[in-house]
Structure formats: C-alpha cells, structure tokens
Amino acid sequence: MGFFDKVKELALKAKCGVGIHGGEYSKVSNGPACLYEKTCPDCFDHLTKHMHEYGEFSYRNHYNCTMSRHCAHCEHEDLKEKHQGFTDAGMDDFCRVKEKCIRCDFTKVKKESHSWIEVSRTDTDKTMSCIRCKKMDKQPLTRH
Ligand SMILES: [Zn+2]
Ligand SMILES: [Zn+2]
Ligand SMILES: [Zn+2]
Ligand SMILES: [Zn+2]
C-alpha cells in the first residue's frame, strides 16, 4: 500500500515538475474577465493564465501589413503580419519572377523562369544555359 502511494506521489511530482498541474481554472474575481486562476491541489502552486477574447483583426496603418486585434477585457494586443495581396512585379536579371504586396511593397520570388537552350551534351547528360541570365544547368539524359 505504501508503495503505491509513493508511486502516485512521484507521478504527481513529475507532472507538476513539467508544468502539468491539477485543478480547474476559474475566473479571477477582482481582475479582468480574461484572467483565470487556480491552485494546484497537488503542489499548491497558484497559477494564473489569460484567456483573451479578441475582436476582429484589422490593419494598424496604411503602409504596412501588421494586423492587430485587441482583447475585449484588457489592454492585450495580438499582432500578426498578413499581406493584403500580391501583384506581379516583373522579372529581375536572374530570371526570378517576383511579386509585390499591394500594401507594404514586400517583394517575394514567385518562381524562376529561364529561357533554356542546350549548349553541350555528353553520353550521359546535357548542359543547358539560360540565354537571359547565363545560368547553367546540367541535366541527365533520359534513356528510352
Ligand atoms: Zn502542481
Ligand atoms: Zn485580455
Ligand atoms: Zn504586405
Ligand atoms: Zn535565366
């Protein structure tokens, strides 16, 4: 009997030790409505956590893509970056097709688009070169 009590005690300690405490969270009586607390019945730690209730995300300003939403109960602000949309920004000297965010000018590479021509060939592979950016690429010959 003593043995199993010991096992249980160790298990509880192990759980509390990695932050998994028992007990149920309930709202803090004299705090914001998003603040919860509990006291662990095993180690008697007092724990608090926020469960914010957010409104909708909206852009913070017109020149970048940072969106924010506020907790209805406290000052907490949640941020994320979400680009509004991308538009074609042409191709650079390295044949990278780029697109640009319509809101913040963030540019990303969509794909590479080379104009390959074959420049040499061996028994096993062929060497291609892009006539635009001079990039070389060796490709194995497919055997039939
Ligand atoms: Zn605990
Ligand atoms: Zn809150
Ligand atoms: Zn953007
Ligand atoms: Zn190219």
Side-chain angles (χ1 to χ4, degrees), residues 11-77:
L12 288 174
K13 271 196 184 138
K15 279 180 106 182
C16 289
V18 294
I20 305 168
H21 299 279
E24 292 290 322
Y25 278 103
S26 59
K27 272 184 190 171
V28 173
S29 49
N30 58 348
C34 55
L35 184 60
Y36 288 72
E37 67 176 352
K38 72 175 179 180
T39 301
C40 177
D42 304 316
C43 68
F44 304 106
D45 260 8
H46 182 249
L47 302 146
T48 56
K49 73 166 175 179
H50 281 279
M51 285 168 59
H52 301 294
E53 284 174 48
Y54 297 108
E56 294 289 302
F57 271 110
S58 60
Y59 284 109
R60 296 179 99 199
N61 49 52
H62 64 277
Y63 54 84
N64 69 27
C65 287
T66 305
M67 299 189 92
S68 68
R69 55 180 186 170
H70 291 269
C71 177
H73 306 296
C74 72
E75 296 291 298
H76 186 77
E77 187 182 25

Side-chain angles (χ1 to χ4, degrees), residues 83-133:
H83 294 291
Q84 192 175 1
F86 286 91
T87 179
D88 200 1
M91 195 192 279
D92 69 10
D93 293 343
F94 303 97
C95 296
R96 293 182 299 208
V97 179
K98 294 185 167 181
E99 50 183 15
K100 187 171 82 170
C101 177
I102 52 176
R103 188 181 191 90
C104 72
D105 284 355
F106 170 81
T107 306
K108 68 177 181 183
V109 176
K110 195 163 110 188
K111 61 176 181 182
E112 290 186 14
S113 179
H114 298 284
S115 306
W116 298 113
I117 51 159
E118 187 180 319
V119 287
S120 64
R121 181 187 283 250
T122 67
D123 284 348
T124 53
D125 50 48
K126 60 182 176 181
T127 303
M128 308 293 286
S129 173
C130 175
I131 51 169
R132 224 179 142 257
C133 71

